[in-house]
Amino acid sequence: MRTLLVTGGAGFIGSNFIHYWLKNHPLDKVINLDALTYAGNLENLETVEHLANYRFVRGDICDQEFVSGLFDNEHIDTVVNFAAESHVDRSILGPEAFVQTNVQGTLSLLEAARKAWSGDSSSCLFLHVSTDEVYGSLEPDDPAFTELTPYAPNSPYSASKASSDHLVRAWFHTYGLPVLTTNCSNNYGPYQFPEKLIPLVILNALDGKPIPIYGDGLNVRDWLYVEDHCSGIEAVLEKGEQGQVYNIGGGNEWHNIDIVHLICDSLDELQPGDLPCRELIRFIKDRPGHDRRYAIDSGKIRRQLGWKPEYNFRTGIKHTVQWYLENRDWCQRVRSGDYHSYYRKQYD
Ligand code: NAD
Ligand code: DAU
């Protein structure tokens, strides 16, 4: 039995992970520490909040004293660190929060874990969830990112994640903290905040609003269904070697424009409107410093830990579109608050 501290558990991947973990490890205890920024939503966890082995705590990972108190009171032996500012466009509009949460916050968690586990850390694990964006951008014919690809972050977001990865590595080598790092490609699925490409396209299309595509639409991302990311993290927690890095990805590269077409066609099939959705597509000014291509080589986790993704992309997208169609109230609620002022700043 483990006691997990899941940070950022009210966000997109964190909430999917908590559902996944409680379903597959019903004897473990999960403490969800989340500051509930614009991206955190407790509605994502309504179906587990009654469970005796789940507890939500509102707090900031940067507050080290508070985090240390949690370690002491809850006897945490496993950390899964999802908490972060996660959206590249927001990092371009305002980088400070990214350095604060992603760098300072990770430092604060590492220090709290180091103090709490200083006596005996033999059954403890600190898993840091990171991104493929730390490796920079690939040319069309470059091989996919491996764990040995040098870091070359290009956005304030990826630079802050790269910094946090370096801290995690250093805490292993210097202090012997039992750390693991995962670098994953683009996720999609239920509960993703509609600032990210896939939910933004779905919701704009449903509202008959323009679908914004940056630049020529030929940037490439490597997409993974969120539950496959969760099972990858599980494999690393259960079988990973301390101090090691594992890339997680679907080997599923798509041009942005092709994904948008796929979503439009799914919507036309599931909920036909007056006009084909594709007519809403608009090419707009490119994202500054827009990375051209990401691709993950997940050979290491597949070979060494026996992980593989289960979801096929076309099925996963259809399932995701269906989820957004069935959860229009959730969509309405997450787009209240600051969403409209962010949207105007970014797209008008
Ligand atoms: P998200 O933005 O949906 O959720 C982030 C969560 O962290 C929110 O619940 C937010 O309230 C919380 N949070 C933010 N600042 C906090 C703070 N200071 N203290 C406590 N909680 C705080 O993000 P996501 O897409 O679920 O990503 C989760 C993690 O996975 C991030 O670390 C991200 O870098 C990484 N990642 C994301 C993807 C992706 O495609 N979304 C891919 C690879 C890696
Ligand atoms: O690669 C992993 C990363 O994937 C994660 O670390 C990040 O947290 C996550 O946000 C995601 O970053 P991206 O920038 O790749 O995702 P986003 O959904 O913002 O954009 C995907 C692609 O679509 C990218 O090439 C930019 C483009 N795009 C995005 C938006 C929001 C558009 O063309 N139009 C848009 O309106």
Side-chain angles (χ1 to χ4, degrees):
M1 273 172 58
R2 293 194 154 275
T3 301
L4 281 77
L5 177 67
V6 176
T7 70
F12 162 48
I13 308 176
S15 58
N16 276 284
F17 178 80
I18 290 176
H19 284 292
Y20 179 90
W21 199 268
L22 289 169
K23 187 167 154 220
N24 293 293
H25 305 266
L27 298 181
D28 285 356
K29 192 169 162 194
V30 172
I31 315 289
N32 172 11
L33 170 64
D34 198 297
L36 297 184
T37 68
Y38 78 92
N41 184 358
L42 287 180
E43 237 187 286
N44 303 0
L45 295 153
E46 262 173 1
T47 56
V48 298
E49 67 191 13
H50 64 283
L51 297 176
N53 57 338
Y54 167 76
R55 184 176 161 221
F56 170 70
V57 179
R58 187 170 190 175
D60 187 337
I61 57 165
C62 302
D63 184 346
Q64 200 193 122
E65 212 179 302
F66 179 74
V67 177
S68 283
L70 267 184
F71 271 89
D72 293 344
N73 296 334
E74 302 286 351
H75 308 291
I76 285 151
D77 53 39
T78 306
V79 174
V80 187
N81 181 28
F82 292 100
E85 289 293 334
S86 68
H87 191 41
V88 174
D89 293 322
R90 287 190 191 251
S91 81
I92 297 166
L93 293 172
E96 292 83 0
F98 287 71
V99 174
Q100 176 65 13
T101 287
N102 302 359
V103 185
Q104 190 64 39
T106 303
L107 169 66
S108 146
L109 280 176
L110 287 165
E111 279 297 84
R114 183 165 79 89
K115 281 182 201 139
W117 299 342
S118 60
D120 174 16
S121 66
S122 56
S123 58
C124 301
L125 289 173
F126 185 113
L127 189 145
H128 178 62
V129 179
S130 191
T131 168
D132 59 358
E133 300 204 10
V134 297
Y135 299 121
S137 182
L138 294 168
E139 295 297 327
D141 295 325
D142 285 346
F145 303 128
T146 72
E147 290 79 0
L148 300 176
T149 303
Y151 274 32
N154 292 317
S155 72
Y157 163 69
S158 54
S160 67
K161 291 297 290 185
S163 312
S164 66
D165 294 6
H166 291 319
L167 291 175
V168 172
R169 177 190 158 90
W171 260 240
F172 173 74
H173 285 278
T174 305
Y175 303 112
L177 196 76
V179 306
L180 297 151
T181 301
T182 55
N183 292 87
C184 189
S185 60
N186 286 63
N187 284 214
Y188 69 100
Y191 303 118
Q192 188 166 31
F193 192 79
E195 63 191 353
K196 308 281 172 25
L197 180 72
I198 289 178
L200 185 116
V201 169
I202 299 172
L203 297 192
N204 279 21
L206 287 174
D207 291 346
K209 281 169 47 181
I211 295 173
I213 301 195
Y214 299 155
D216 60 7
L218 295 178
N219 299 67
V220 173
R221 296 293 182 266
D222 182 350
W223 293 91
L224 184 71
Y225 192 65
V226 61
E227 201 176 310
D228 284 327
H229 187 184
C230 297
S231 68
I233 292 172
E234 178 187 46
V236 174
L237 281 172
E238 289 182 340
K239 294 178 263 180
E241 188 186 328
Q242 289 178 16
Q244 289 289 308
V245 173
Y246 297 90
N247 281 356
I248 306 179
N252 178 41
E253 292 181 55
W254 284 71
H255 287 118
N256 291 340
I257 185 67
D258 294 331
I259 294 189
V260 173
H261 285 157
L262 184 67
I263 296 171
C264 287
D265 297 348
S266 263
L267 277 168
D268 288 342
E269 188 192 323
L270 293 166
Q271 186 158 306
D274 298 339
L275 284 175
C277 284
R278 288 184 185 213
E279 306 231 341
L280 295 168
I281 293 173
R282 302 285 180 276
F283 289 90
I284 64 166
K285 197 170 137 232
D286 209 352
R287 173 187 277 176
H290 195 176
D291 285 337
R292 193 62 173 168
R293 173 177 165 238
Y294 303 142
I296 275 276
D297 178 341
S298 56
K300 178 174 173 182
I301 186 173
R302 287 174 193 248
R303 280 190 309 275
Q304 296 185 5
L305 310 187
W307 171 86
K308 63 175 175 36
E310 297 296 334
Y311 283 82
N312 155 292
F313 190 56
R314 286 176 191 278
T315 325
I317 283 288
K318 210 162 175 181
H319 184 74
T320 303
V321 170
Q322 190 75 50
W323 188 89
Y324 281 91
L325 283 172
E326 285 166 7
N327 290 277
R328 296 300 298 273
D329 291 349
W330 180 94
C331 301
Q332 277 313 110
R333 283 192 286 272
V334 299
R335 288 188 298 172
S336 59
D338 109 308
Y339 186 78
H340 294 290
S341 63
Y342 162 73
Y343 196 91
R344 275 196 300 275
K345 233 187 264 168
Q346 178 62 19
Y347 294 100
D348 274 0

